[in-house]
Amino acid sequence: MELVKNGSAIHVGSVTKSYGGKQAVSDVTVDLQAGKVTALLGENGAGKTTTVSMILGLVTPTSGTVTVGGDPAGSFAARQRIGAMLQSAELPEQLTVAEHIKLFQTYYPAPMKFDVLVALLGLADILDKRYGVLSGGQKRRTQLALAVCGDPEFILLDEPTVGLDVDARHMFWRVIRDLVKAGCGVVLTTHYLEEADALADRILVMAAGEIVADGTPVEIKALAGGKLIELRTDASDAQLLALDGVESLKHVGDRVQLVSHAAEATLRTLFAAGCSVNDISVTRAGLEAAFLNITREKGEAA
């Protein structure tokens, strides 16, 4: 790969998008740099997909501007700078993987070399297979290849690993890291918070059409403002949520995860309640707790 980005950026300037009387995106301004992974997080309806669609030029802002490397989003020059892998995408089923890639390469002035792309994505075993007979994971690999084949400055990945097994997901992560090392900018939307935590240099959290948090994974996690308590117990959910300091509760297998802003007080009141408690661990709250805290505060303020 020979990616020369020269500090290229996606600029979203004071962008608003309304559908009827409802604002899907409200006065968003952000710059996304090449050579970095930016994760865009938010609940369904937060405005993520609309924002991505405006960057791709698929949706026109109601107001504000979007540029890619200085070119207006959706223009011919901008389209040559960017690749995309959308959550729902289908391709002609009768073409082979190799035929799809070679066709897409013709859309770009300086595409990635075929052999380099095949090695990057591990496609050698499926090149001669028709798209229609591929497994779900093989289709996603092919779609990623088409997003990458133009050697773009930026790649937008919308929920790229949905439905993939652990091995396939980690393969996608490796490819994303390789692209970033070569200078490509990656914008990633995902509901897998561990994916954002593992990959992102920067995390943007959207809620109600606005960016409500912006920082590194460490900075975002610090917004959780509490600790994560994991344990096994016979206490009911109602009892646990009533403990001093508890902000949220989640079941993971036979263990319970509590986020508390006063972990010592939480454990003290739990022990005092006389419940059975085993296998306790206390760590700093993670990205999920921070995400829930941020979006909850936005909902309460609305």
Side-chain angles (χ1 to χ4, degrees), residues 83-106:
M85 178 179 170
L86 303 181
Q87 184 175 354
S88 56
E90 279 304 330
L91 298 166
E93 296 189 349
Q94 296 306 310
L95 293 182
T96 67
V97 172
E99 289 169 338
H100 274 298
I101 293 172
K102 290 177 181 177
L103 174 62
F104 267 66
Q105 285 180 313
T106 66

Side-chain angles (χ1 to χ4, degrees), residues 287-298:
L287 183 57
E288 181 175 357
F291 174 77
L292 292 173
N293 189 45
I294 293 165
T295 54
R296 180 172 61 248
E297 287 179 354
K298 174 62 180 178

